[in-house]
Amino acid sequence: MLQNFISEYEGVRSDIKYKFPFYSRNKPICYLNPLKKVGAGLVFWNALEMTNSLSLRDMKKRKWFAGISYDTIDEVDFNLLNKMLLEAISIDGSLSSNKLRKQK
């Protein structure tokens, strides 16, 4: 269900990297991480830049990435997830724009 939800965003493509489903536009935005016991985590690539949802994400001993974990699909707040994904997509767009400006 998360796969379908994320894939519906315009311009987002999915690939398998490191045995995980990654979602990207210009650069990776997030990936799904199956949890060992049950459930899945959605890990955001540019998590440190996502200031609007900072309190909702868990770093889990990671330096650069942070995410949110779900034990069941019933736990997913799709409105909140939508806001987080839109923020991640917007950061992806702004990072690529900054890179383009630097190259000129």
Side-chain angles (χ1 to χ4, degrees), residues 1 4-5 7 9 25 36 50-53 59 68-69 75 78-80 82 86-87 89 96 100 104:
M1 207 164 175
N4 292 337
F5 185 78
S7 297
Y9 287 85
R25 288 185 67 189
K36 288 182 182 180
M50 295 174 60
T51 56
N52 293 340
S53 58
M59 295 295 283
I68 188 164
S69 299
E75 293 179 356
F78 286 100
N79 289 325
L80 178 64
N82 178 56
L86 288 174
E87 182 179 15
I89 289 168
S96 66
L100 290 173
K104 289 182 179 180

Side-chain angles (χ1 to χ4, degrees), residues 22-23 25 27-29 33-35 43 50 52-53 62-63 72 78-79 81-82 94-95 97-98 100 102-103:
F22 272 71
Y23 305 92
R25 288 185 67 189
K27 300 224 178 224
I29 295 169
N33 184 20
L35 301 177
V43 182
M50 295 174 60
N52 293 340
S53 58
R62 299 179 209 127
K63 291 183 181 181
T72 67
F78 286 100
N79 289 325
L81 183 56
N82 178 56
S94 68
L95 291 176
S97 298
N98 289 340
L100 290 173
K102 288 179 185 177
Q103 290 177 349

